Amino acid sequence: MSEKKQFRAIKGTRDILPPDSALWNWFERQARDTFEAYSFRDIRTPIFEDTDLFARSVGTDTDIVSKEMYTFAASSEVGSEGDQMSLRPEGTASVCRAYIEHGMHTLPGNVKLYYGGPMFRRERPQRGRYRQFYQMGAEVLGPSDAPGIDAEVIEMLVVLFRRVGLEKTTLYLNSIGCKECRPKYVELLRGELRGVKEQFGADSQRRIETNPLRVLDSKLPEEQPIIEKLPRISDHLCDDCRAHFGKLKDELALRNIAYEENWRLVRGLDYYTRTTFEVTAAGLGSQNAVCGGGRYDGLVELLGGPPTKGIGFAIGTDRAILSIQESGKLPHLPGLAVFVAWMGLKAYPAAVAMARKLRDCGLIVELPAEEMKFKKSLGLADKLGAKYALIIGDDEVASGTYTLKRLADANQQKLAEPELLEYLESERRGA
Ligand code: HAM
């Protein structure tokens, strides 16, 4: 006799159940509506791609690529013999790959795309950090790197966060230079870091050689005073990068967008140039970044495409939802409006027809498939949280008037079909 195995969701993954799923759908809808108002359009890319795509764009020395990707061998039958594939850890690389593959550089103006869906990183799971998590992201690709684009992308984010009621958000902003000035700064930084190497822990010591900028990301309290004394990128930007950053700040001022400059905001992906930003929100503890983004001029070229500028961001949907839930200020989402309580053989066809009409009016309607005594029906309607019970018995069918009971206060009214539909529809619009 084999023992029955209890299956559970795999560590770092989770089920999103009702009623939370309604909040998720609402949030994603708000994001789509906001992005579309800024003339971004949806792009859907595969969930797995060639591992090299991520290695080349995100960077082989980053945590994401070096230890967090879910990688598997591609089957030789599908024609990519010997190649490795990975579940996507983020969306920007795929969007750039699709931009090149479909020749989108020939489209007029800048190409503005948004996406939503699951991403995968083998991180240590904790509150707000999952191995399958969700992002809503947006990217602008094309010939222009005007700071007004950066500012508009940030404005879109601020507008969305306000719309969904995310609280106590802070926008952190930095410029990490370009391929002219950053390598010089990185060498300067590495030199300084080597001088104080002994004062750092093992992780930072390793990063001094592999990726010194990442040392600035350290959260270890004992490393903070040393980091504070290091040279800052803002003092080492080339003239073009300094001008670009200055103009971006003017553009943000024009839009009344508050931000804090943070010279240590270097981000964990290698493709960034110039503008980087992050947004934190309340109620999230240590994993408090709800959004990260920045400019990645040159990434498309690095992936074999034409010279292209790019900027974008991704919101961590799991964290945005957590923060909204923590605030306790949840949106009012439509629930079950009408429970059709029917009894009697003649009542059933009328109940089926009425349920369909009400649903056509946009109402959420529950119709029991089996006959129940009115008392039991009303009890179930109550438990399901229905706003109204529509009572249909043989008498109602004979008279053509129906009893509509508001469950909160047991108020009852008798209405003929046209009045009933009109009343419930106006209720719905007012709700
Ligand atoms: P990222 O900063 O790696 O950037 O991720 C963006 C957001 O995704 C984070 O701020 C966080 O809210 C969420 N996130 C990341 N990892 C996890 C996780 N393990 N669990 C839950 N949430 C997580 C990017 O992915 C870039 N592609 C953003 C971008 C787009 N830059 C330019 N364009």
Side-chain angles (χ1 to χ4, degrees):
M1 264 203 299
S2 68
E3 215 176 286
K4 274 208 188 125
K5 183 172 173 179
Q6 288 289 314
F7 293 103
R8 302 182 68 89
I10 284 165
K11 191 174 165 206
T13 73
R14 60 206 182 118
D15 303 307
I16 307 208
L17 306 176
D20 291 355
S21 50
L23 184 63
W24 277 71
N25 286 338
W26 169 82
F27 177 85
E28 288 169 349
R29 207 159 45 239
Q30 299 298 317
R32 287 172 195 282
D33 289 352
T34 307
F35 299 165
E36 286 179 9
Y38 281 80
S39 143
F40 283 71
R41 292 183 298 169
D42 195 7
I43 180 169
R44 296 172 188 234
T45 62
I47 269 169
F48 54 93
E49 301 258 11
D50 191 322
T51 301
D52 286 344
L53 172 68
F54 302 117
R56 235 199 273 174
S57 37
V58 176
T60 39
D61 287 336
T62 58
D63 286 352
I64 296 177
V65 170
S66 67
K67 50 186 191 203
E68 294 172 0
M69 284 213 293
Y70 287 93
T71 297
F72 46 96
S75 152
S76 54
E77 285 156 68
V78 290
S80 41
E81 223 169 312
D83 282 351
Q84 301 268 298
M85 302 193 224
S86 297
L87 296 183
R88 61 181 186 193
E90 60 104 52
T92 311
S94 302
V95 171
C96 291
R97 197 258 316 130
Y99 179 86
I100 300 166
E101 186 170 335
H102 304 287
M104 286 193 241
H105 63 282
T106 60
L107 296 173
N110 284 310
V111 177
K112 299 161 85 174
L113 300 165
Y114 75 83
Y115 53 88
M119 307 290 161
F120 306 86
R121 297 182 193 175
R122 193 186 271 115
E123 296 194 77
R124 193 171 50 78
Q126 66 179 89
R127 185 168 175 276
R129 190 161 73 189
Y130 311 99
R131 291 180 165 179
Q132 173 170 338
F133 62 99
Y134 295 79
Q135 287 186 341
M136 292 293 299
E139 316 286 350
V140 183
L141 290 148
S144 171
D145 63 355
I149 300 175
D150 308 37
E152 199 183 62
V153 160
I154 292 172
E155 175 189 308
M156 179 163 91
L157 201 54
V158 169
V159 164
L160 172 63
F161 284 173
R162 208 169 291 158
R163 204 188 249 203
V164 296
L166 264 183
E167 291 195 330
K168 299 200 187 83
T169 54
T170 307
L171 166 66
Y172 294 98
L173 189 67
N174 193 20
S175 172
I176 57 165
C178 65
K179 62 176 188 296
E180 301 304 322
C181 53
R182 199 189 25 228
K184 291 181 201 150
Y185 169 72
V186 170
E187 273 325 299
L188 175 75
L189 185 65
R190 183 178 275 132
E192 292 282 328
L193 283 167
R194 282 181 180 148
V196 288
K197 188 173 174 180
E198 300 314 318
Q199 300 175 47
F200 282 103
D203 277 347
S204 290
Q205 288 204 9
R206 193 169 24 81
R207 287 182 177 141
I208 293 174
E209 299 313 320
T210 57
N211 194 347
L213 283 176
R214 299 286 296 156
V215 176
L216 306 181
D217 253 1
S218 159
K219 305 272 186 301
L220 294 178
E222 61 276 18
E223 297 185 350
Q224 303 310 307
I226 323 159
I227 293 172
E228 278 307 308
K229 289 196 215 108
L230 293 169
R232 301 180 173 207
I233 180 90
S234 42
D235 298 325
H236 298 274
L237 293 176
C238 63
D239 290 347
D240 285 352
C241 286
R242 189 186 309 280
H244 190 275
F245 197 31
K247 192 80 203 312
L248 168 58
K249 290 187 254 182
D250 294 344
E251 289 273 1
L252 291 174
L254 176 72
R255 292 168 170 78
N256 271 323
I257 293 172
Y259 59 87
E260 275 181 35
E261 261 187 81
N262 178 1
W263 69 279
R264 288 174 56 178
L265 183 65
V266 292
R267 315 261 307 118
L269 303 90
D270 280 355
Y271 51 60
Y272 290 110
T273 54
R274 294 191 168 166
T275 313
T276 55
F277 55 93
E278 241 169 54
V279 181
T280 59
L284 294 173
S286 65
Q287 302 302 313
N288 65 350
V290 276
C291 174
R295 189 161 269 297
Y296 47 88
D297 303 338
L299 176 57
V300 167
E301 218 174 336
L302 183 75
L303 297 174
T308 307
K309 315 288 188 193
I311 181 162
F313 63 77
I315 298 165
T317 310
D318 306 75
R319 295 185 191 172
I321 297 286
L322 259 178
S323 179
I324 293 169
Q325 285 172 329
E326 282 293 312
S327 76
K329 293 184 192 139
L330 300 182
H332 177 74
L333 298 173
L336 179 56
V338 181
F339 185 100
V340 183
W342 63 272
M343 219 182 112
L345 281 183
K346 289 207 197 84
Y348 186 58
V352 169
M354 190 58 86
R356 175 159 329 161
K357 283 179 196 159
L358 294 173
R359 286 167 176 153
D360 280 347
C361 294
L363 292 150
I364 300 176
V365 176
E366 180 71 24
L367 172 74
E370 286 170 293
E371 188 173 37
M372 272 187 268
K373 295 255 161 53
F374 282 129
K375 195 163 174 241
K376 201 172 163 209
S377 262
L378 292 174
L380 181 57
D382 211 31
K383 282 190 200 133
L384 293 176
K387 193 161 181 202
Y388 293 99
L390 179 63
I391 297 164
I392 306 182
D394 289 344
D395 291 351
E396 278 80 5
V397 175
S399 68
T401 59
Y402 304 94
T403 305
L404 186 69
K405 180 171 180 178
R406 189 161 57 209
L407 293 169
D409 58 5
N411 172 294
Q412 294 204 138
Q413 42 183 335
K414 276 189 177 294
L415 299 164
E417 184 179 313
E419 287 79 51
L420 177 74
L421 293 178
E422 199 178 309
Y423 175 81
L424 285 173
E425 231 199 309
S426 70
E427 270 280 283
R428 182 183 66 84
R429 270 190 251 110

